[in-house]
Coordinates of all heavy atoms in Angstrom, one line a residue:
D10 N -5.2 25.0 2.1 CA -6.5 24.7 2.9 C -6.2 23.6 3.9 O -7.1 23.4 4.8 CB -7.6 24.3 2.0 CG -8.1 25.4 1.0 OD1 -7.9 26.6 1.4 OD2 -8.6 25.0 0.0
T80 N -3.8 24.1 -5.3 CA -5.2 23.8 -5.1 C -5.4 22.3 -5.6 O -4.7 21.8 -6.4 CB -6.1 24.7 -6.0 OG1 -5.8 24.5 -7.4 CG2 -6.1 26.1 -5.6
S81 N -6.5 21.7 -5.0 CA -6.9 20.4 -5.5 C -8.4 20.3 -5.3 O -8.9 20.7 -4.2 CB -6.1 19.3 -4.8 OG -6.8 18.8 -3.7
E82 N -9.1 19.7 -6.2 CA -10.5 19.4 -6.0 C -10.9 18.0 -6.6 O -10.4 17.7 -7.6 CB -11.4 20.4 -6.8 CG -11.2 21.9 -6.5 CD -10.1 22.5 -7.4 OE1 -10.0 22.2 -8.5 OE2 -9.4 23.4 -6.8
H86 N -16.6 17.6 -7.1 CA -16.8 18.9 -6.4 C -16.5 20.1 -7.3 O -16.7 21.2 -6.8 CB -15.9 18.9 -5.2 CG -16.3 17.9 -4.1 ND1 -15.4 17.5 -3.2 CD2 -17.4 17.2 -3.9 CE1 -15.9 16.5 -2.5 NE2 -17.2 16.3 -2.9
I87 N -16.1 19.9 -8.5 CA -15.7 21.0 -9.4 C -17.0 21.6 -10.0 O -17.8 21.0 -10.5 CB -14.8 20.5 -10.5 CG1 -13.5 20.0 -9.9 CG2 -14.5 21.6 -11.5 CD1 -12.5 19.3 -10.9
D88 N -17.0 23.0 -9.8 CA -18.1 23.8 -10.4 C -17.6 24.2 -11.8 O -16.7 25.1 -12.0 CB -18.3 25.0 -9.5 CG -19.3 25.9 -10.0 OD1 -19.6 25.9 -11.2 OD2 -19.9 26.7 -9.2
R91 N -18.1 27.9 -12.9 CA -17.1 28.8 -12.3 C -15.8 28.7 -13.0 O -15.2 29.7 -13.2 CB -17.0 28.4 -10.8 CG -16.0 29.2 -10.1 CD -15.9 28.8 -8.6 NE -14.7 29.3 -8.0 CZ -14.3 29.0 -6.7 NH1 -15.1 28.2 -6.0 NH2 -13.2 29.5 -6.2
A92 N -15.3 27.5 -13.3 CA -14.0 27.3 -13.9 C -14.0 27.9 -15.3 O -13.1 28.6 -15.7 CB -13.6 25.9 -14.0
A95 N -13.9 31.7 -15.0 CA -12.6 32.2 -14.6 C -11.6 32.1 -15.7 O -10.8 33.0 -15.9 CB -12.1 31.3 -13.4
R98 N -12.3 34.9 -18.2 CA -11.8 36.2 -17.6 C -10.3 36.3 -17.9 O -9.8 37.3 -18.3 CB -12.0 36.3 -16.1 CG -13.4 36.8 -15.7 CD -13.4 37.3 -14.3 NE -12.9 36.3 -13.3 CZ -13.7 35.3 -12.8 NH1 -14.9 35.2 -13.1 NH2 -13.1 34.4 -11.9
R123 N -4.8 26.1 -15.0 CA -5.5 25.6 -13.8 C -7.0 25.4 -14.1 O -7.5 24.4 -13.7 CB -5.3 26.6 -12.7 CG -5.7 26.2 -11.3 CD -5.3 27.3 -10.3 NE -6.0 28.5 -10.5 CZ -5.5 29.7 -10.1 NH1 -4.4 29.8 -9.4 NH2 -6.2 30.8 -10.4
E124 N -7.6 26.4 -14.7 CA -9.0 26.3 -15.0 C -9.3 25.2 -16.1 O -10.2 24.4 -16.0 CB -9.6 27.6 -15.5 CG -9.4 28.8 -14.5 CD -10.0 28.5 -13.1 OE1 -10.8 27.6 -12.9 OE2 -9.7 29.4 -12.2
R127 N -9.3 21.9 -14.4 CA -10.6 21.6 -13.7 C -11.7 21.2 -14.6 O -12.4 20.3 -14.4 CB -11.0 22.9 -12.9 CG -10.2 23.2 -11.7 CD -10.6 24.5 -11.1 NE -9.8 24.7 -9.9 CZ -9.2 25.9 -9.5 NH1 -9.4 27.0 -10.3 NH2 -8.5 25.9 -8.4
Ligands
LIG1 P1 -12.4 31.9 -9.2 O1 -13.1 30.8 -9.9 O2 -13.3 32.6 -8.2 O3 -11.6 32.8 -10.1 P2 -9.8 30.9 -8.5 O4 -9.7 30.0 -9.7 O5 -9.0 32.1 -8.4 O6 -11.3 31.2 -8.2 P3 -8.2 29.4 -6.7 O7 -7.3 30.4 -6.1 O8 -7.6 28.5 -7.8 O9 -9.6 30.0 -7.3 O10 -8.8 28.4 -5.6 C1 -9.5 29.0 -4.5 C2 -10.2 27.8 -3.8 O11 -11.4 27.6 -4.5 C3 -9.5 26.5 -3.7 O12 -9.8 25.9 -2.5 C4 -10.0 25.7 -4.9 O13 -9.9 24.3 -4.6 C5 -11.4 26.2 -5.0 N1 -11.9 26.2 -6.4 C6 -11.5 27.1 -7.3 N2 -12.2 26.9 -8.5 C7 -13.1 25.9 -8.2 C8 -14.1 25.3 -9.0 N3 -14.3 25.6 -10.3 N4 -14.8 24.3 -8.4 C9 -14.6 24.0 -7.1 N5 -13.7 24.5 -6.4 C10 -12.9 25.5 -6.9

Side-chain angles (χ1 to χ4, degrees):
D10 294 335
T80 60
S81 93
E82 301 90 36
H86 297 157
I87 294 171
D88 179 339
R91 175 177 164 187
R98 274 199 307 277
R123 188 174 63 203
E124 303 303 347
R127 286 177 178 137

